[in-house]
Amino acid sequence: MSSTDSAALRRTALDALHRSLGATMTDFAGWDMPLRYGSERDEHVAVRTRAGLFDLSHMGEITVTGPQAAELLNHALVGDIASVGVGRARYTMICREDGGILDDLIVYRLAGTEYLVVANASNAQVVLDALVARSAGFDAEVRDDRDAYALIAVQGPESPGILKSLTDADLDGLKYYAGLPGTVAGVPALIARTGYTGEDGFELFVKPEHAVELWQALTEAGSPVGLVPCGLSCRDTLRLEAGMPLYGHELTTELTPFDAGLGRVVKFGKEGDFVGRAALAEAAVRAEQNPPRVLVGLVAEGRRVPRAGYSVVAGGEVIGEVTSGAPSPTLGRPIAMAYVDAAHSAPGTAGVGVDIRGSHEPYEVVSLPFYKRQK
């Protein structure tokens, strides 16, 4: 990467700190982000067994406020956002008029008429533009707050203990997919019990000027229990093991939520019309009558790693496509998520392989997720 390319990338408030830790940096959705600090495998294992610290400041925060904020979000998104209680969060999607997925989102209800929409970095501008366009006629304001937040995640079984040592917020009472305002190491934060790793953990939304102070406090508090800084590379293998979809891989504008096996996020019973409703109603019927390809897990019998776009085969025919693939540190074998024809989607289906550069490597079909933490 040339210096001019690098200069064009956005940098988080933690950029200098990442470099001081020797991070390998990479361009991710126009941001210069840490890919890894040392061994991807070690970082992955730390999150599964102890704790990991992530900079997620590239995510796109959009605030929606006003008397009709809930009505706007119910119109703009496929979920029933009006029914989300204050202090709770919901996983949902924003779709095109034709039902194609523009992005998957988490929406936090911060107050009666205030919501925080968190979009994927690669789609933040698309989501912002869509929400602004869809806000016409609603007494609500859509505000681009991407520069107002840094986002730090602490994930793994030791994360509650680490955070408890730095805050008097009621973490025991904080449920999964909930958030509360609090102070962590003296820094005002929105403390959310959410994450993308399959482990218990927290995401901390803070002002960018507080990010370094908070990161250092978490590092110090976590060091006795083995917390390590973690990059985007292990975040990808963690979410893959946990069977969590990644936009651009398992979710695209070519797929509706029903095609992706996530039709449950579409709430036809909510009040009012919403963008994509008619197309999604048709997609729901289509999926019922003629099941689309099913998202499954694949576990390698050999050592070769499948990658996105590789064909899934059976009996000499192409029956699907890999959407994500990587070595799994937890399983000790390569794994993949793939959309396959319904006839080959049952766990244990025999004769399924992945075409890796012309060689049909044998794979076992398994149900997702590959990994589920012990409660």
mmCIF file of all heavy atoms in Angstrom, residues 23-51:
data_model
loop_
_atom_site.group_PDB
_atom_site.id
_atom_site.type_symbol
_atom_site.label_atom_id
_atom_site.label_comp_id
_atom_site.label_asym_id
_atom_site.label_seq_id
_atom_site.Cartn_x
_atom_site.Cartn_y
_atom_site.Cartn_z
ATOM 1 N N ALA A 23 0.593 -3.856 15.688
ATOM 2 C CA ALA A 23 -0.501 -4.448 14.913
ATOM 3 C C ALA A 23 -0.181 -4.446 13.417
ATOM 4 O O ALA A 23 0.421 -3.511 12.900
ATOM 5 C CB ALA A 23 -1.789 -3.680 15.158
ATOM 6 N N THR A 24 -0.607 -5.515 12.739
ATOM 7 C CA THR A 24 -0.631 -5.535 11.280
ATOM 8 C C THR A 24 -1.925 -4.862 10.857
ATOM 9 O O THR A 24 -3.013 -5.317 11.236
ATOM 10 C CB THR A 24 -0.611 -6.981 10.758
ATOM 11 O OG1 THR A 24 0.590 -7.616 11.208
ATOM 12 C CG2 THR A 24 -0.684 -7.028 9.247
ATOM 13 N N MET A 25 -1.815 -3.758 10.122
ATOM 14 C CA MET A 25 -2.996 -2.966 9.759
ATOM 15 C C MET A 25 -3.483 -3.343 8.362
ATOM 16 O O MET A 25 -2.710 -3.791 7.512
ATOM 17 C CB MET A 25 -2.679 -1.474 9.825
ATOM 18 C CG MET A 25 -2.105 -0.996 11.157
ATOM 19 S SD MET A 25 -3.226 -1.185 12.573
ATOM 20 C CE MET A 25 -4.373 0.184 12.259
ATOM 21 N N THR A 26 -4.800 -3.157 8.143
ATOM 22 C CA THR A 26 -5.376 -3.482 6.842
ATOM 23 C C THR A 26 -6.505 -2.517 6.519
ATOM 24 O O THR A 26 -7.138 -1.959 7.418
ATOM 25 C CB THR A 26 -5.908 -4.935 6.830
ATOM 26 O OG1 THR A 26 -6.287 -5.298 5.498
ATOM 27 C CG2 THR A 26 -7.139 -5.093 7.730
ATOM 28 N N ASP A 27 -6.756 -2.337 5.222
ATOM 29 C CA ASP A 27 -7.882 -1.521 4.762
ATOM 30 C C ASP A 27 -9.158 -2.342 4.914
ATOM 31 O O ASP A 27 -9.310 -3.388 4.288
ATOM 32 C CB ASP A 27 -7.663 -1.131 3.295
ATOM 33 C CG ASP A 27 -8.859 -0.396 2.681
ATOM 34 O OD1 ASP A 27 -9.867 -0.191 3.370
ATOM 35 O OD2 ASP A 27 -8.769 -0.031 1.493
ATOM 36 N N PHE A 28 -10.058 -1.886 5.760
ATOM 37 C CA PHE A 28 -11.350 -2.553 5.908
ATOM 38 C C PHE A 28 -12.445 -1.504 5.756
ATOM 39 O O PHE A 28 -12.596 -0.625 6.600
ATOM 40 C CB PHE A 28 -11.462 -3.261 7.259
ATOM 41 C CG PHE A 28 -12.723 -4.077 7.395
ATOM 42 C CD1 PHE A 28 -12.784 -5.377 6.900
ATOM 43 C CD2 PHE A 28 -13.861 -3.544 7.977
ATOM 44 C CE1 PHE A 28 -13.944 -6.122 6.986
ATOM 45 C CE2 PHE A 28 -15.032 -4.285 8.063
ATOM 46 C CZ PHE A 28 -15.074 -5.578 7.566
ATOM 47 N N ALA A 29 -13.165 -1.568 4.652
ATOM 48 C CA ALA A 29 -14.282 -0.660 4.371
ATOM 49 C C ALA A 29 -13.853 0.807 4.484
ATOM 50 O O ALA A 29 -14.583 1.653 4.992
ATOM 51 C CB ALA A 29 -15.457 -0.942 5.309
ATOM 52 N N GLY A 30 -12.609 1.098 4.011
ATOM 53 C CA GLY A 30 -12.127 2.466 4.007
ATOM 54 C C GLY A 30 -11.500 2.922 5.315
ATOM 55 O O GLY A 30 -11.132 4.086 5.463
ATOM 56 N N TRP A 31 -11.370 1.995 6.264
ATOM 57 C CA TRP A 31 -10.729 2.285 7.553
ATOM 58 C C TRP A 31 -9.417 1.516 7.646
ATOM 59 O O TRP A 31 -9.322 0.378 7.185
ATOM 60 C CB TRP A 31 -11.626 1.846 8.708
ATOM 61 C CG TRP A 31 -12.855 2.681 8.902
ATOM 62 C CD1 TRP A 31 -14.032 2.569 8.222
ATOM 63 C CD2 TRP A 31 -13.040 3.734 9.853
ATOM 64 N NE1 TRP A 31 -14.938 3.490 8.674
ATOM 65 C CE2 TRP A 31 -14.358 4.220 9.688
ATOM 66 C CE3 TRP A 31 -12.225 4.307 10.830
ATOM 67 C CZ2 TRP A 31 -14.873 5.250 10.466
ATOM 68 C CZ3 TRP A 31 -12.741 5.341 11.603
ATOM 69 C CH2 TRP A 31 -14.046 5.812 11.414
ATOM 70 N N ASP A 32 -8.430 2.110 8.285
ATOM 71 C CA ASP A 32 -7.176 1.421 8.561
ATOM 72 C C ASP A 32 -7.348 0.716 9.905
ATOM 73 O O ASP A 32 -7.384 1.368 10.956
ATOM 74 C CB ASP A 32 -6.030 2.446 8.633
ATOM 75 C CG ASP A 32 -4.707 1.854 8.182
ATOM 76 O OD1 ASP A 32 -4.707 0.711 7.695
ATOM 77 O OD2 ASP A 32 -3.674 2.535 8.315
ATOM 78 N N MET A 33 -7.499 -0.606 9.874
ATOM 79 C CA MET A 33 -7.882 -1.361 11.070
ATOM 80 C C MET A 33 -6.857 -2.443 11.396
ATOM 81 O O MET A 33 -6.195 -2.982 10.495
ATOM 82 C CB MET A 33 -9.248 -2.035 10.851
ATOM 83 C CG MET A 33 -10.394 -1.060 10.630
ATOM 84 S SD MET A 33 -10.710 0.022 12.047
ATOM 85 C CE MET A 33 -11.290 -1.159 13.268
ATOM 86 N N PRO A 34 -6.720 -2.804 12.682
ATOM 87 C CA PRO A 34 -5.803 -3.884 13.054
ATOM 88 C C PRO A 34 -6.328 -5.251 12.606
ATOM 89 O O PRO A 34 -7.454 -5.631 12.947
ATOM 90 C CB PRO A 34 -5.732 -3.792 14.580
ATOM 91 C CG PRO A 34 -6.966 -3.075 14.997
ATOM 92 C CD PRO A 34 -7.372 -2.200 13.858
ATOM 93 N N LEU A 35 -5.529 -5.955 11.823
ATOM 94 C CA LEU A 35 -5.885 -7.301 11.374
ATOM 95 C C LEU A 35 -5.511 -8.318 12.448
ATOM 96 O O LEU A 35 -6.270 -9.233 12.763
ATOM 97 C CB LEU A 35 -5.145 -7.607 10.072
ATOM 98 C CG LEU A 35 -5.516 -8.896 9.340
ATOM 99 C CD1 LEU A 35 -6.969 -8.866 8.882
ATOM 100 C CD2 LEU A 35 -4.586 -9.106 8.146
ATOM 101 N N ARG A 36 -4.319 -8.140 12.998
ATOM 102 C CA ARG A 36 -3.841 -9.007 14.096
ATOM 103 C C ARG A 36 -2.703 -8.273 14.792
ATOM 104 O O ARG A 36 -2.100 -7.365 14.226
ATOM 105 C CB ARG A 36 -3.357 -10.350 13.550
ATOM 106 C CG ARG A 36 -2.082 -10.303 12.765
ATOM 107 C CD ARG A 36 -1.666 -11.651 12.198
ATOM 108 N NE ARG A 36 -2.435 -12.012 11.031
ATOM 109 C CZ ARG A 36 -2.190 -11.564 9.791
ATOM 110 N NH1 ARG A 36 -1.192 -10.719 9.578
ATOM 111 N NH2 ARG A 36 -2.925 -11.958 8.782
ATOM 112 N N TYR A 37 -2.425 -8.679 16.024
ATOM 113 C CA TYR A 37 -1.299 -8.119 16.774
ATOM 114 C C TYR A 37 -0.140 -9.111 16.821
ATOM 115 O O TYR A 37 1.012 -8.737 16.896
ATOM 116 C CB TYR A 37 -1.731 -7.737 18.193
ATOM 117 C CG TYR A 37 -2.800 -6.671 18.200
ATOM 118 C CD1 TYR A 37 -4.146 -7.014 18.069
ATOM 119 C CD2 TYR A 37 -2.473 -5.324 18.302
ATOM 120 C CE1 TYR A 37 -5.138 -6.052 18.054
ATOM 121 C CE2 TYR A 37 -3.450 -4.344 18.292
ATOM 122 C CZ TYR A 37 -4.788 -4.718 18.161
ATOM 123 O OH TYR A 37 -5.769 -3.764 18.134
ATOM 124 N N GLY A 38 -0.479 -10.389 16.809
ATOM 125 C CA GLY A 38 0.524 -11.443 16.807
ATOM 126 C C GLY A 38 -0.050 -12.627 16.054
ATOM 127 O O GLY A 38 -0.279 -12.570 14.852
ATOM 128 N N SER A 39 -0.356 -13.702 16.787
ATOM 129 C CA SER A 39 -0.932 -14.901 16.178
ATOM 130 C C SER A 39 -2.452 -14.822 16.199
ATOM 131 O O SER A 39 -3.059 -14.651 17.255
ATOM 132 C CB SER A 39 -0.456 -16.134 16.952
ATOM 133 O OG SER A 39 -1.395 -17.179 16.880
ATOM 134 N N GLU A 40 -3.079 -14.949 15.008
ATOM 135 C CA GLU A 40 -4.547 -14.962 14.919
ATOM 136 C C GLU A 40 -5.122 -16.082 15.782
ATOM 137 O O GLU A 40 -6.144 -15.899 16.457
ATOM 138 C CB GLU A 40 -4.983 -15.194 13.470
ATOM 139 C CG GLU A 40 -4.594 -14.085 12.529
ATOM 140 C CD GLU A 40 -4.651 -14.511 11.070
ATOM 141 O OE1 GLU A 40 -5.205 -15.602 10.789
ATOM 142 O OE2 GLU A 40 -4.152 -13.758 10.228
ATOM 143 N N ARG A 41 -4.463 -17.230 15.744
ATOM 144 C CA ARG A 41 -4.959 -18.380 16.505
ATOM 145 C C ARG A 41 -4.935 -18.086 18.002
ATOM 146 O O ARG A 41 -5.886 -18.384 18.726
ATOM 147 C CB ARG A 41 -4.109 -19.623 16.178
ATOM 148 C CG ARG A 41 -4.666 -20.893 16.759
ATOM 149 C CD ARG A 41 -3.808 -22.124 16.471
ATOM 150 N NE ARG A 41 -4.489 -23.300 16.989
ATOM 151 C CZ ARG A 41 -4.551 -23.621 18.277
ATOM 152 N NH1 ARG A 41 -3.981 -22.836 19.179
ATOM 153 N NH2 ARG A 41 -5.208 -24.696 18.675
ATOM 154 N N ASP A 42 -3.839 -17.491 18.478
ATOM 155 C CA ASP A 42 -3.736 -17.179 19.904
ATOM 156 C C ASP A 42 -4.803 -16.173 20.331
ATOM 157 O O ASP A 42 -5.370 -16.272 21.426
ATOM 158 C CB ASP A 42 -2.341 -16.623 20.233
ATOM 159 C CG ASP A 42 -1.254 -17.691 20.160
ATOM 160 O OD1 ASP A 42 -1.600 -18.891 20.037
ATOM 161 O OD2 ASP A 42 -0.061 -17.327 20.219
ATOM 162 N N GLU A 43 -5.060 -15.196 19.469
ATOM 163 C CA GLU A 43 -6.090 -14.201 19.781
ATOM 164 C C GLU A 43 -7.468 -14.859 19.842
ATOM 165 O O GLU A 43 -8.267 -14.575 20.747
ATOM 166 C CB GLU A 43 -6.061 -13.077 18.738
ATOM 167 C CG GLU A 43 -4.808 -12.207 18.851
ATOM 168 C CD GLU A 43 -4.650 -11.205 17.708
ATOM 169 O OE1 GLU A 43 -5.668 -10.833 17.079
ATOM 170 O OE2 GLU A 43 -3.495 -10.780 17.449
ATOM 171 N N HIS A 44 -7.737 -15.753 18.891
ATOM 172 C CA HIS A 44 -9.002 -16.487 18.856
ATOM 173 C C HIS A 44 -9.183 -17.313 20.144
ATOM 174 O O HIS A 44 -10.229 -17.247 20.796
ATOM 175 C CB HIS A 44 -8.993 -17.408 17.623
ATOM 176 C CG HIS A 44 -10.228 -18.222 17.444
ATOM 177 N ND1 HIS A 44 -11.104 -18.011 16.405
ATOM 178 C CD2 HIS A 44 -10.746 -19.259 18.159
ATOM 179 C CE1 HIS A 44 -12.101 -18.892 16.494
ATOM 180 N NE2 HIS A 44 -11.897 -19.652 17.542
ATOM 181 N N VAL A 45 -8.158 -18.050 20.494
ATOM 182 C CA VAL A 45 -8.233 -18.919 21.682
ATOM 183 C C VAL A 45 -8.400 -18.077 22.951
ATOM 184 O O VAL A 45 -9.131 -18.461 23.877
ATOM 185 C CB VAL A 45 -6.984 -19.828 21.768
ATOM 186 C CG1 VAL A 45 -6.932 -20.566 23.099
ATOM 187 C CG2 VAL A 45 -6.985 -20.826 20.601
ATOM 188 N N ALA A 46 -7.764 -16.908 22.990
ATOM 189 C CA ALA A 46 -7.906 -16.030 24.158
ATOM 190 C C ALA A 46 -9.366 -15.636 24.368
ATOM 191 O O ALA A 46 -9.867 -15.644 25.500
ATOM 192 C CB ALA A 46 -7.035 -14.787 23.995
ATOM 193 N N VAL A 47 -10.071 -15.314 23.281
ATOM 194 C CA VAL A 47 -11.478 -14.916 23.402
ATOM 195 C C VAL A 47 -12.342 -16.107 23.848
ATOM 196 O O VAL A 47 -13.254 -15.949 24.654
ATOM 197 C CB VAL A 47 -12.003 -14.329 22.080
ATOM 198 C CG1 VAL A 47 -13.493 -14.010 22.171
ATOM 199 C CG2 VAL A 47 -11.227 -13.071 21.710
ATOM 200 N N ARG A 48 -12.037 -17.284 23.338
ATOM 201 C CA ARG A 48 -12.823 -18.474 23.707
ATOM 202 C C ARG A 48 -12.579 -18.883 25.165
ATOM 203 O O ARG A 48 -13.482 -19.410 25.815
ATOM 204 C CB ARG A 48 -12.459 -19.647 22.791
ATOM 205 C CG ARG A 48 -13.016 -19.560 21.390
ATOM 206 C CD ARG A 48 -14.438 -20.083 21.301
ATOM 207 N NE ARG A 48 -14.983 -19.926 19.947
ATOM 208 C CZ ARG A 48 -15.804 -18.943 19.575
ATOM 209 N NH1 ARG A 48 -16.164 -18.012 20.443
ATOM 210 N NH2 ARG A 48 -16.260 -18.864 18.350
ATOM 211 N N THR A 49 -11.385 -18.648 25.673
ATOM 212 C CA THR A 49 -11.034 -19.196 26.996
ATOM 213 C C THR A 49 -10.835 -18.123 28.066
ATOM 214 O O THR A 49 -10.982 -18.412 29.256
ATOM 215 C CB THR A 49 -9.740 -20.029 26.907
ATOM 216 O OG1 THR A 49 -8.677 -19.200 26.417
ATOM 217 C CG2 THR A 49 -9.925 -21.216 25.966
ATOM 218 N N ARG A 50 -10.513 -16.892 27.653
ATOM 219 C CA ARG A 50 -10.220 -15.831 28.626
ATOM 220 C C ARG A 50 -10.947 -14.549 28.214
ATOM 221 O O ARG A 50 -12.101 -14.380 28.543
ATOM 222 C CB ARG A 50 -8.703 -15.626 28.734
ATOM 223 C CG ARG A 50 -7.941 -16.908 29.102
ATOM 224 C CD ARG A 50 -6.464 -16.683 29.329
ATOM 225 N NE ARG A 50 -5.759 -16.044 28.226
ATOM 226 C CZ ARG A 50 -5.291 -16.674 27.149
ATOM 227 N NH1 ARG A 50 -5.461 -17.984 26.998
ATOM 228 N NH2 ARG A 50 -4.625 -16.019 26.206
ATOM 229 N N ALA A 51 -10.256 -13.671 27.502
ATOM 230 C CA ALA A 51 -10.895 -12.440 27.039
ATOM 231 C C ALA A 51 -10.057 -11.769 25.966
ATOM 232 O O ALA A 51 -8.831 -11.878 25.963
ATOM 233 C CB ALA A 51 -11.098 -11.473 28.202
#
